[in-house]
Amino acid sequence: ATSMLLSTWASIAIPNMDLPFLRGSDTRFFVTIAIGSTPFAFLGMGLSLPGLLQAILIQARRLVSGEFRDRLIRHEAGHFLVGYCLGVPIAEYKADDAILNACQFFEDSFDTGPARRLSHDQVDTLCAVSMAGVVAESITYEKGLGGYADLSQLQGFLSRATPILNDKEQQERVRWGSVLAYTVLRTHGEAFEALVECMG
């Protein structure tokens, strides 16, 4: 709603300004249309190509905000360090593409069998690794802003647990994973800071 209000105001106000490049009526017309259609183009791109739009917005925000860039690095360093300390082999890390799953682990490190089920011990480990990014952000900034994709992926892991976990048990596993991630990151604080510096 805000973008519509701003674009409406801009499409009315800017063409009426006495700017040298807006002297012709055709130019004013095209500037008005361009400004007025911007929210619709943005909405259309978000609906048809959400991954690309997310990549563009995150890259733009990384360029503009040093804090956001540092949050991304700390988030991925948290996954990396906790995964490593808990014995989950790291497949790769892409420093230039910290959009989704920049720190990737080998999926076959957990032999899930044909039904792709996970034991409770495996779920505990995955809870700690999944929560490590948000916990790592929270240690420095007191609040974790990233992690929506992590929580979505974690929900998938919890639903594959054998025997099946009820809602209360799932919440307890997530809490325990958060505490374990915090403990690992605090215990290996120097290694974590060195990793953040290396990834930056």
Side-chain angles (χ1 to χ4, degrees):
T2 306
S3 63
M4 287 296 293
L5 182 64
L6 288 174
S7 67
T8 302
W9 177 84
S11 64
I12 293 169
I14 291 175
N16 290 326
M17 293 179 182
D18 190 25
L19 300 172
F21 63 90
L22 291 177
R23 300 283 162 112
S25 61
D26 291 341
T27 307
R28 286 180 189 272
F29 173 77
F30 286 115
V31 167
T32 303
I33 294 298
I35 293 171
S37 63
T38 301
F40 297 106
F42 193 73
L43 178 64
M45 188 174 180
L47 291 172
S48 60
L49 302 167
L52 178 61
L53 180 62
Q54 181 182 19
I56 291 169
L57 292 175
I58 287 177
Q59 292 298 341
R61 195 163 174 199
R62 284 178 71 186
L63 292 172
V64 173
S65 172
E67 179 185 321
F68 183 75
R69 187 170 42 256
D70 187 56
R71 279 181 178 275
L72 282 175
I73 292 167
R74 288 183 176 283
H75 185 100
E76 295 306 326
H79 289 307
F80 194 105
L81 183 63
V82 171
Y84 177 80
C85 288
L86 296 180
V88 183
I90 297 154
E92 70 175 323
Y93 170 77
K94 294 182 182 177
D96 60 340
D97 189 24
I99 295 170
L100 293 173
N101 299 323
C103 185
Q104 297 180 352
F105 299 91
F106 284 106
E107 291 181 18
D108 357 340
S109 59
F110 294 102
D111 185 15
T112 57
R116 299 192 47 83
R117 305 304 294 173
L118 296 167
S119 71
H120 285 190
D121 288 341
Q122 291 171 324
V123 168
D124 288 343
T125 300
L126 291 169
C127 281
V129 174
S130 294
M131 296 306 297
V134 174
V135 171
E137 282 185 64
S138 299
I139 288 172
T140 303
Y141 295 102
E142 296 181 4
K143 185 176 180 182
L145 298 180
Y148 298 111
D150 298 332
L151 292 173
S152 175
Q153 187 177 39
L154 178 57
Q155 186 59 47
F157 293 143
L158 291 167
S159 67
R160 290 169 36 202
T162 302
I164 294 172
L165 298 168
N166 62 35
D167 289 344
K168 183 180 178 189
E169 291 171 325
Q170 288 182 15
Q171 289 175 359
E172 289 170 357
R173 300 279 170 165
V174 172
R175 285 188 194 108
W176 183 88
S178 299
V179 170
L180 179 58
Y182 179 84
T183 304
V184 169
L185 291 169
R186 282 298 194 190
T187 303
H188 302 286
E190 288 182 19
F192 175 69
E193 292 301 329
L195 187 58
V196 167
E197 188 176 331
C198 181
M199 288 179 161

